[in-house]
């Protein structure tokens, strides 16, 4: 009998308890031993079947030699960091879904886990229930990873889908997402691209083996996206999606950013709708592979957490070598990367052509919407400086 | 320095050598040791840079204590089975891309690997470079797997894509696939669904933990598919794709089959075109996840093989617990499974309605094409017995 603890008993933590109970037999079969949930760390006690296992004292976990794995679903950095650090120091394996903590302090916690010869696993922190980190590290281990990009935030993808399908304005689509429980009361982290940015950092850390600091990654969300752009793009055969991207550049440096992109409608990732996520990995041998599924939700995320619990237990003697260097050198901004840009300007095609030379016109009716040739971002900004720019997005050329 | 051997030096075997050489640094970083290709087993010697490592004597591999991993890319069952068995008995880890061997003799070889405490890994046998077996077994370990289905054969998907896009007849599209090197001179295993069937068996073995014998799986290919069906389906909002499916039934039994299906065009798997593959896994906690990428080709497949080599070496002391019972009981045919069917008949709507009651008409011009309500396959066959049936396919309702 293996005994584990859950810290934080919200949506994901509760989901972990449910998956352990519902699929206990399958899990015991994989491990050759049953997994039992012994302790649940909460801030406020709640009545219910789990009440007897609850404690508000972390020391009850830290000092319990029976607990071999601790699941952290507290979220945020402060308490989550403190308890994770101490659990690792106490020689316990830690599994988490906490993307903020992994993005900000992952390198340090992984180093500590290595010193203590325990596992620190976090598959659920990116893509919810979609298997992505393990395939990236293990299944594509024979590749040099060139790029990882994806639709990493279900809330914004839901909003964009509603704008395309029903012609809803951004604010109405956001309210609808909130009413359905897909968006928080304070939706800032989602709609400003911060959540997608943290996940992009974790993908970049693992893909390239060096830390990418969240504060160095430009994050643009969808709050300034207008319905007009969505419609112009759609008529021209594109979908607008919020993408997180991380790339290895030809000179060996790395870049990462989050921004809305126009995506050709026949690209598989363009068909990803509602709260679904998809992540594309480009390897120098495998080419492009895509992973698709529910990026959030209690059970999908919890099942990724429990899979990590199983993996941690299967690697008790010989821990999994997952990690990255805390050296963040060699990271550059995306400004020098050549790509096509979409502009909508309050001006004529002549204005556009004067600034950019050859352009591809998407619409012309008082305003002009057009695509540039591939140019670096800083050059695009420079050439547009005398234009009255209403919106500007990148184009994903696959 | 780790030394390995490759048996069979065709497309995939050559690709393995190329990946090892091109990405040697990454691989050494993961393992903390270099991997060196020492011996290549061939039937006929070929000149070139690898000539000095070639041998036509399997004993040179079997009796070489320096070789810890043997890659089998011979294909087929006879020699591949014999050499795999002997390599495992000699205490060597074996990695393969050979779907026929794994589908037919996998349970037996995995049992032997377990006895000898070595790994027998075969990620490349399904989906080429797409990570699918490891995610299915490990990332979704906390799920009860309910269903696995996918586009598992690139050749047939290429032919279907050409029929839709250019209106080519089946035979012309097949000739085009052969000219491009996507189809073999004898394309039987691809177009009759046998290749997809072997992969379906492996997916079912792993998903449900019990062997599915290839000879018990009904396999229908695309050779009887007419351009007319492709067009009728397309106008009605469906794509025709060849799917392999494996399902857990409510009573605990399992079924699997290969057949062309009509798929609603807004399902992500409907957008999978050309030689690409995609596999959908349904877990009782994760819901649906999809894996997409190149299902064939030297480098994608080889990179999956090399990832398995790395994994085998990382699990030298404690082997990976992958396998299934050789008990194939509880497998049933798909005839009792209710689903919608597509029929095209030489007859009127009245004929259709008399046989099936309520139907959804897709086209009516001399011939009648329609969809039934969900009914078991044996009932569909029974009700259609007095109709002049020109074609009949299943519908994938997602």
């Amino acid at each position: 009998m293996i005994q584990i603890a859950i810290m934080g008993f919200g949506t994901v933590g509760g989901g972990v308890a449910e998956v352990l109970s519902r699929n206990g037999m399958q899990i015991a079969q994989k491990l050759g031993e049953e997994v039992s949930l012994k302790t649940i760390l909460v801030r406020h006690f709640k009545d219910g079947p789990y009440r007897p296992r609850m404690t508000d004292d972390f020391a009850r976990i830290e000092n319990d030699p029976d607990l071999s794995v601790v699941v952290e679903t507290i979220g945020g950095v402060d308490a989550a960091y403190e308890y994770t650090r101490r659990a690792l120091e106490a020689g316990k394996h830690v599994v988490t879904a906490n993307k903020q903590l992994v993005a900000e302090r992952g390198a340090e916690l992984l180093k500590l886990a290595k010193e203590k010869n325990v596992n620190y696993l976090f598959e659920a922190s990116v893509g919810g229930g979609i298997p992505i980190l393990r395939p990236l590290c293990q299944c594509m281990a024979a590749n040099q990873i060139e790029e990882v990009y994806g639709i990493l935030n279900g809330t914004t993808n839901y909003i964009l889908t509603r704008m395309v399908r029903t012609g809803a304005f951004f604010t109405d689509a956001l309210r609808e997402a909130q009413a359905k429980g897909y968006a928080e009361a304070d939706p800032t982290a989602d709609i400003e691209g911060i959540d997608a940015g943290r996940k992009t950092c974790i993908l970049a850390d693992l893909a390239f083996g060096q830390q990418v600091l969240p504060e160095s990654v430009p994050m643009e969300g969808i709050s300034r996206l207008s319905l007009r752009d969505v419609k112009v793009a759609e008529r021209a055969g594109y979908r607008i999606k919020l993408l997180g991207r991380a790339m290895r550049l030809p000179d060996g440096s790395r870049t990462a950013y989050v921004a809305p992109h126009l995506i050709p409608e026949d690209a598989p990732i363009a068909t990803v709708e509602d709260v679904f996520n998809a992540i594309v990995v480009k390897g120098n041998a495998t080419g492009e592979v895509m992973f698709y599924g529910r990026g959030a939700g209690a059970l999908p995320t919890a099942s990724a957490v429990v899979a990590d619990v199983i993996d941690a237990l299967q690697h008790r003697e010989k821990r999994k070598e997952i990690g990255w260097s805390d050296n963040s050198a060699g990271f550059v901004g995306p400004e020098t990367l050549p790509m096509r840009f979409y502009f909508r300007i309050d001006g004529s095609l002549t204005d556009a052509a004067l600034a950019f030379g050859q352009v591809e016109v998407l619409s012309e009716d008082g305003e002009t919407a057009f695509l540039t040739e591939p140019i670096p971002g800083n050059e695009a900004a420079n050439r547009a400086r005398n234009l009255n720019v209403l919106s500007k997005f990148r184009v994903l050329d696959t």
Side-chain angles (χ1 to χ4, degrees), chain A:
Chain A
M1 171 86 82
I2 296 155
Q3 299 195 314
I4 75 166
I6 299 177
M7 308 194 293
F9 208 58
T11 310
V12 178
V16 171
E18 190 181 337
V19 169
L20 285 173
S21 127
R22 191 200 285 195
N23 292 341
M25 220 175 64
Q26 279 89 341
I27 296 166
Q29 245 168 14
K30 296 250 153 134
L31 284 169
E33 251 181 300
E34 270 179 61
V35 174
S36 156
L37 172 56
K38 183 179 181 190
T39 313
I40 299 170
L41 181 69
V42 295
R43 239 179 336 182
H44 306 291
F45 291 91
K46 264 171 273 178
D47 278 338
Y50 291 107
R51 177 69 183 79
R53 306 181 213 184
M54 288 182 183
T55 175
D56 57 2
D57 178 10
F58 173 69
R60 291 269 306 276
I61 290 173
E62 191 177 23
N63 301 324
D64 185 343
D66 293 345
L67 292 173
S68 47
V69 182
V70 177
V71 171
E72 183 267 303
T73 54
I74 300 170
V77 167
D78 305 333
Y81 168 73
E82 174 71 10
Y83 296 159
T84 298
R85 191 180 54 70
R86 284 166 58 186
L88 291 170
E89 273 176 354
K92 298 178 189 316
H93 305 281
V94 178
V95 169
T96 187
N98 187 335
K99 54 224 161 200
Q100 187 180 358
L101 182 58
V102 177
E104 292 184 14
R105 313 294 291 262
E108 176 194 339
L109 292 168
L110 283 160
K111 200 174 154 195
L112 175 59
K114 188 170 184 164
E115 281 165 23
K116 295 289 169 180
N117 196 30
V118 290
N119 294 285
Y120 180 49
L121 301 176
F122 40 89
E123 174 67 66
S125 66
V126 181
I130 307 171
I132 171 64
L133 303 186
R134 195 176 280 103
L136 177 65
C137 296
Q138 288 180 243
C139 306
M140 297 186 69
N143 284 262
Q144 173 166 294
I145 306 293
E146 306 293 357
E147 181 173 354
V148 186
Y149 67 87
I151 296 172
L152 298 168
N153 180 272
T155 309
T156 46
N157 204 50
Y158 179 82
I159 292 172
L160 291 171
T161 304
R162 297 310 292 168
M163 290 174 79
V164 170
R165 279 208 204 138
T166 69
F169 287 105
F170 172 77
T171 43
D172 295 331
L174 171 58
R175 251 193 304 271
E176 203 183 318
Q178 285 170 322
K180 290 210 168 186
Y182 296 154
E184 319 251 342
D186 175 1
T188 313
D190 288 326
I191 65 173
E192 298 302 350
I194 299 164
D195 175 78
R198 288 170 182 148
K199 294 168 180 167
T200 304
C201 288
I202 299 172
L203 290 169
D205 292 337
L206 284 170
F208 308 134
Q210 275 187 270
Q211 183 159 40
V212 170
L213 300 166
E215 60 266 32
S216 64
V217 173
M219 298 175 190
E220 183 189 339
I222 61 166
S223 59
R224 287 184 300 171
L225 185 74
S226 90
L227 187 55
R228 179 104 189 95
D229 296 312
V230 170
K231 287 184 170 167
V232 167
E234 202 192 0
R235 274 198 301 268
Y238 293 87
R239 296 281 173 279
I240 298 185
K241 298 285 183 193
L242 183 67
L243 295 184
R245 293 180 85 176
M247 271 171 275
R248 185 191 299 275
L249 303 182
D251 66 358
S253 61
R254 300 152 293 126
T255 190
Y257 68 94
V258 177
H261 286 70
L262 274 73
I263 304 180
E265 65 188 1
D266 57 356
I269 199 168
T271 65
V272 175
E273 303 218 309
D274 293 322
V275 294
F276 284 85
N277 283 195
I279 300 119
V280 174
V281 182
K282 278 190 202 180
N284 74 338
T286 304
E288 279 198 20
V289 293
M290 187 174 88
F291 304 85
Y292 166 93
R294 289 187 181 278
L299 288 189
T301 307
S303 77
V305 169
V306 176
D308 271 352
V309 170
I310 295 171
D311 210 10
L313 289 166
Q314 285 175 331
H315 291 85
R316 265 175 287 193
E317 292 102 42
K318 187 166 185 297
R319 70 182 288 278
K320 297 194 77 162
E321 287 300 335
I322 285 178
W324 53 84
S325 151
D326 57 6
N327 175 3
S328 59
F331 184 87
V332 297
E335 305 78 29
T336 57
L337 209 66
M339 58 180 75
R340 294 196 295 161
F341 284 85
Y342 162 92
F343 278 92
R344 183 163 55 88
I345 61 169
D346 183 2
S348 67
L349 176 54
T350 314
D351 297 330
L354 274 171
F356 285 96
Q358 180 95 8
V359 297
E360 181 187 341
V361 186
L362 302 190
S363 86
E364 216 187 336
D365 54 353
E367 298 171 2
T368 304
F370 61 92
L371 303 181
T372 70
E373 301 276 289
I375 47 172
N378 47 12
E379 190 184 331
N382 192 34
R383 291 209 200 173
R385 73 192 181 284
N386 294 323
L387 295 175
N388 188 354
V389 175
L390 302 172
S391 19
K392 173 187 163 192
F393 301 112
R394 295 162 188 274
V395 179
L396 180 79
D397 284 304
T398 53

